[in-house]
Amino acid sequence: MASSAQAKTASSITPDMVAEHGLTPGEYQHLLDVLGREPNLVELGIFSVMWSEHCSYKTTRKHLGKLPTKGSHVICGPGENAGVIDIGDGQAAIFKMESHNHPSYIEPFQGAATGVGGILRDVFTMGARPIANLNALRFGEPSHPKTRHLVSGVVRGIGFYGNCVGVPTVGGECTFHPSYNGNCLVNAMTVGLADQDKIFYSAAAGVGNPVVYVGSKTGRDGIHGATMASAEFTEDSEEKRPTVQVGDPFSEKLLIEACLELMQTDAIVAIQDMGAAGLTSSSFEMADKGGLGIELELDRVPMREEGMTPYEIMLSESQERMLMVLKPEREEMAKAIFRKWELDFATIGHLTDTGRMVLKMHGEVVADLPVAPISSEAPVYERPYKKSSEFRAQSSGKWEEYETLRQAARTPSYKLWTLNSELLTLIACPDIASKRWIWEQYDHQVMNDTVQIPGGDAAIVRVHGTKKGLALTSDVTPRYCEADPIEGGKQAVAESWRNITAVGGEPLAITNCLNFGNPQRPEIMGQIVGCLEGMGEACRALAYPIVSGNVSLYNETNGSGVQPTPNIGGVGLLKDVTKHTTLAFKNEGDIILLIGETVGHLGSSLYLREILGREEGAPPPVDLAREKEHGDFVRRLIQAGRVTACHDLSDGGLLVALAEMAMAGRKGAQVRFPNYLPPHAFAFGEDQARYLLTAAPDKAEAIRREFEKAGIPCFHLGEVGGDTLQIEGRMKVSVDALRTAHEGWLPRYMNG
């Protein structure tokens, strides 16, 4: 029954207030049905964040349920703070990727910084020490007046937080496209290590057990952050600046150490970080998973501002805070640990058997809500969507013209050195150009376990004190997903799998961050459904399950959405970290082998976009059986120490991959192209399931015959040597010229 305080405020709820809280009239009616009465303002705020797209996944929940989440290495799949996989020897890798897109567009430094802080908490909440960060960044076209400001702020924010907290940022990606002009994407991933017998979960247990708040104080920052992240931007988006949180990485470092110290005891029953929706989501989720209720005394919440209301306390998204359920007899010991680390510690409530969330302040009930319906009965939508066949018809409708282009009937006249200028243009274009300017702002070697630094196919981080290593990567090709969501979804997973394979790792599992526009538009919803279908198909074929993830919708401004961007964060295992390879050419005279079939697929390619100024055509098809067959064969060769370099082929195709290997090794190569394709198609086609390998001359022929015997295409492309990259009779460019073009664009751009 409602208290007098509730009754006083319930009648003040107006349709405008409901709309301001992001609830539709139908959702508000559902709220009334669940509650059995009108809510007060505090209760309305709680419903609004718990039923927001960001917290409830009300649009995608049905489709996410189709993804494969189990596998031989999976300890814990989706549903917890992060995914957990077995890496042997009683150890586990715990990891997740999340978005902080809307806050980063409004306030790039703090938006990106707090995105890093939030994903770190998701991982160490489960008992893992964070060992690596990655990020995936998408910005608008370089000429847009806001792009340089966003790049600068986001990169500084990521570097500031990660560097101060002492976790290396070891990998990621950064691309540019006009679709991100009004919505940059900032996706952050953290990987941590834990002992399998010291993994912590969030389900509350034990009626009467104390509910404890630890970390930093609560302020007014971040209120309605989850609601803001569940709506598209309009002209007033700058007014939403107060919803961006402010991070303190030094407090986060103290919080990591205090939590990990307490986790060495038996004090913790359940633990949850306060992320989106702050104290509201953490308390409701813990109670719901445990099938219990919670009673909270909001006066006891540590606050850094005067006069905070229950509404503000419950909806604040202040950073560096955690919620715990402790064993009563361990409360004082836990308090001593957090006091030692100079962090707030407050017992703010206890668990009940009522199944209700009861909030009190100044001795008066300010909210009384059922836990389970609010947590699990958010509306689930089956929105209409454009079918995959329509996307394919749209891209194949332009395919006849494109196919003619591939066969060179409409190409420019290819004179002797045409490929020179095209290659130099491609490796200097914003998507492929070196991102050294970015990653040199990150401390990528702190903790002294980084084996392969940014710039390779995948980062490698040693499992401290062992010979094992984790291979880590982030991948997606948004233009493929836009042209054909199913093939694009498949390719994102397959490229992640290839990148881990290319360094010698065994791909184990993935996390994802699904970034799309407004799902109320059938075209956008079709992108979501199609990408998830393709991702699921690839994960099953490659035995590469999804163990955690995040959905970010409404990345749209005034009706213009971002390209579909389902980022894939992959984690693989190297049992012996010394048996890895890099993409750099190593030795004069090494033989270069091209693995996989090349048909010169230029649809939706960077060549088409950057050289011919066209964005059209179907993306390259993904043959998952070939991906697995080719990758497994390549990995065995690397692990046996039989190859000297390896690189997968992706953006820009064969010639760009050769240039990247040459620049990384500061060595040239002489290669020969076959005559069955036009030179530009062989050079820049983006066919999938392909790798470049190098091997010593006395080993290369045996390797080639083994591929041939297995029915895998293997072409002797040329040899490493000299200081130029040459294609017989068609191209010759110095490695120094390649490096100048590749390294120069981003620093020049950021210097104005």
Side-chain angles (χ1 to χ4, degrees), residues 493-547:
V493 173
E495 186 174 349
S496 166
W497 196 85
R498 281 200 306 273
N499 278 326
I500 289 173
T501 294
V503 299
E506 177 191 357
L508 297 185
I510 65 174
T511 182
N512 61 57
C513 193
L514 310 177
N515 307 272
F516 295 92
N518 185 342
Q520 296 176 49
R521 292 200 287 134
E523 180 177 351
I524 303 301
M525 195 65 211
Q527 293 172 350
I528 296 168
V529 174
C531 284
L532 288 173
E533 182 179 336
M535 289 165 53
E537 187 179 339
C539 289
R540 283 184 285 271
L542 300 173
Y544 198 32
I546 296 172
V547 298

